[in-house]
Every structure is written in C-alpha cells, then in structure tokens.
C-alpha cells in the first residue's frame, strides 16, 4: 500500500469472555483502522452450529476445525496484504496458539473486565439469550494471555470509543516516530 504501516500486524484478534464486547469493539476498531471486521463465529462448521442450536456445549474436539478455519483466514488475509480485526473468544492458550501459529504479525487484543460488569452488560443486551451460569463457566475457562503472548490488554470499564483509543495507542506506541528515520537519542 506504500504507507508506513509495515510494522503493524496484519490481523488483530479481539478476545475475551462472552459479553466482554468482542463484536462491538472489533467492529469499531476495524472502522477506525479501515481494516476488515470478521466475526469468528462465522467460521464454525455446520456441525458445530447444529450442536450449539440444540443447546449442547462444544467440546475442544469440536473447536479445533473452527479455530483452524480462522487461522486459515488469517493466513489468507496476511498473504493478500490485507488487514483484519477478528472477534473470537480464544479463551485458552491452546486455542490462541492455533490462531497465531507462531506468526509475529498477529496480535491478541484482550478485553479485560470483571464478571460483575459483564453480567450487567449482558442483562441489558437485546436479542441474545445467555443461559445462567455460562458467564461463570467462561471465567473458569479463561486463561488470560501473559507477557509471552505480547497481547494488547485493555480495561473494558470505559466507553467503546475510549477502549478503541486505548487499543490504537498500544498498537502504535510512538506515532510521532512512525514513518520517520530512527533517531539516536543517546
Ligand atoms: N464499552 C462498552 N460500554 C457499554 N456497553 C458495551 C461496551 N462494550 C460492549 N457493550 C455492550 O455489551 C453487550 C455485549 O457486547 P458484545 O455483544 O459486543 O460482546 P461479545 O463479547 O461479542 O459477546 P458474545 O461472546 O456473546 O458474542 C452488548 O449489548 C454491547 O452493546
Ligand atoms: Mg459477539
């Protein structure tokens, strides 16, 4: 594209428990960056959709082909020189390892918030049914990303715009330096 975004990742995966704001934040972040927004749920095989529709929880065996389909999409986007923001819960490290598969140009954005705050938001969410107990089980499953994954972690106790600002700031630690020759500051 000939711009100065060479150091930016080609894909950001917005992760967190159900109701943490993945779809909302990933969509808004994609608009801000002028990248493509994708909801990871769209990559479930038909068998998973059928299982979830019948109210049965997915097992990890069900999840591997889904996560692999998202990883394949990430590879396609990056190879094509495109950029995408993908919403995907990615609660466990093993799930994220499938998505990232060693790429340094794919970064996680972890939406960090308390169970109390998220329960309040879910209670107000329209058009979605959330079985009681699901949020608690999501928190039990959650393995927050640690420093070895180089995540962008943001507090969700803020407005959507402020959260997106925070992510963009962490993505570009020193925007003033972008596109300018490196200076020796010593
Ligand atoms: N920063 C915010 N401030 C206030 N409300 C928010 C914020 N972020 C998200 N919400 C609201 O919280 C609810 C949950 O958000 P959203 O549906 O984006 O979460 P999600 O992580 O995609 O959930 P799921 O995993 O179930 O798809 C929605 O009603 C959304 O409008
Ligand atoms: Mg969602």
């Amino acid at each position: 594209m000939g711009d100065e975004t060479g150091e930016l990742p080609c894909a950001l995966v917005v992760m967190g428990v159900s109701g943490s704001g993945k779809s909302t934040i990933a969509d808004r972040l994609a608009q801000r960056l002028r990248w493509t927004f994708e909801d990871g749920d769209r990559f479930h095989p038909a068998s998973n959709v059928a299982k979830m529709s019948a109210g049965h929880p997915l097992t990890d065996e069900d999840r591997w082909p889904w996560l692999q389909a998202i990883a394949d999409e990430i590879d396609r986007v990056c190879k094509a020189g495109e950029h995408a923001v993908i919403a995907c819960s990615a609660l466990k490290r093993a799930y994220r390892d499938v998505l990232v598969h060693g790429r340094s140009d794919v970064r996680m954005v972890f939406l960090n918030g308390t169970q109390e705050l998220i329960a309040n938001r879910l209670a107000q969410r329209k058009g979605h049914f959330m079985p009681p107990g699901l949020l608690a089980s999501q928190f039990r499953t959650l393995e927050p990303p640690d420093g070895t994954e180089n995540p962008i972690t943001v507090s969700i106790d803020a407005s959507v715009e402020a959260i997106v600002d925070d992510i963009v700031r962490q993505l570009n630690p020193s925007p003033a330096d972008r596109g300018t020759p490196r200076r020796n500051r010593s």
Side-chain angles (χ1 to χ4, degrees), residues 22-23 39 41 125:
K22 299 179 294 291
S23 301
D39 207 307
D41 288 343
R125 179 162 69 170

Side-chain angles (χ1 to χ4, degrees), residues 137-157:
S137 104
Q138 293 255 305
F139 269 92
R140 279 195 301 277
T141 305
L142 174 66
E143 298 167 3
D146 63 26
T148 63
E149 296 181 67
N150 190 30
I152 292 173
T153 298
V154 288
S155 166
I156 59 165
D157 192 4

